[in-house]
Amino acid sequence: MLQQIYPSPTHEYEFELNKDMHFAASHYIPHKDAGACQKVHGHTYYANITIGGNQLDDSGFLINFKHIKKLIHKRFDHTLLNEDSLFSDEDPLKFPTTEVVAKTVCEIIQGHLDTLEHRPVCLQVFLRETPTSYVIYRPKRGKVS
């Protein structure tokens, strides 16, 4: 993966972890305003996930990098996003646009983080859909959905 500097969210946590990954997936946007994107097409998505926290777990991790990759890459790589239960062809707020995919990635990660005793927080998801187009999703403080 190319080295890239991502915009950094403002926070006061002692630790900030960033995980880069990519996954190949296809999707379509079922709306007349989507133009050519109404047809099935694919992308190699590049994601950067930022997690913050003040405490480490009993193995010295904020979260093990491999857990983040497993949650996202295993679920979405080489899939048609529209077929995933987290997306919908009926609800525009659940169409698999880059914005909604970024938010969904954050929610998946935060769902896992919420099970951890030391309670780290997903601060930001940077999701690049093409070399020239990306979305940054930052949940409102105290809220992930």
Side-chain angles (χ1 to χ4, degrees):
M1 175 172 275
L2 295 173
Q3 296 296 318
Q4 182 169 335
I5 302 298
Y6 301 98
S8 183
T10 303
H11 65 81
E12 295 186 14
Y13 292 108
E14 291 183 54
F15 297 98
E16 177 182 313
L17 173 151
N18 284 271
K19 173 64 177 160
D20 287 331
M21 70 178 78
H22 69 276
F23 58 92
S26 60
H27 71 150
Y28 58 90
I29 309 303
H31 192 278
K32 62 180 176 51
D33 292 341
C37 293
Q38 291 178 78
K39 296 179 182 178
V40 176
H41 61 284
H43 302 282
T44 299
Y45 292 91
Y46 289 89
N48 172 272
I49 297 163
T50 304
I51 296 173
N54 291 321
Q55 297 179 11
L56 304 179
D57 66 15
D58 61 2
S59 58
F61 292 125
L62 192 55
I63 181 173
N64 191 316
F65 290 117
K66 71 180 180 181
H67 295 306
I68 301 169
K69 183 174 180 182
K70 185 177 178 182
L71 287 166
I72 303 308
H73 190 269
K74 185 174 182 181
R75 181 170 191 145
F76 295 132
D77 191 48
H78 285 81
T79 66
L80 174 59
L81 296 175
N82 299 68
E83 293 177 348
D84 190 285
S85 64
L86 296 176
F87 303 109
S88 167
D89 284 353
E90 308 300 321
D91 180 357
L93 298 177
K94 298 265 184 194
F95 292 167
T97 61
T98 309
E99 294 87 344
V100 173
V101 175
K103 180 180 180 190
T104 301
V105 166
C106 186
E107 291 170 344
I108 291 168
I109 296 293
Q110 190 61 54
H112 176 73
L113 297 175
D114 287 344
T115 69
L116 304 178
E117 190 174 313
H118 62 294
R119 307 288 283 200
V121 176
C122 186
L123 300 171
Q124 172 177 286
V125 172
F126 176 103
L127 186 64
R128 181 174 295 284
E129 184 180 85
T130 71
T132 60
S133 302
Y134 65 88
V135 166
I136 297 171
Y137 176 75
R138 293 182 185 124
K140 290 182 180 180
R141 193 168 289 281
K143 180 183 175 195
V144 176
S145 53

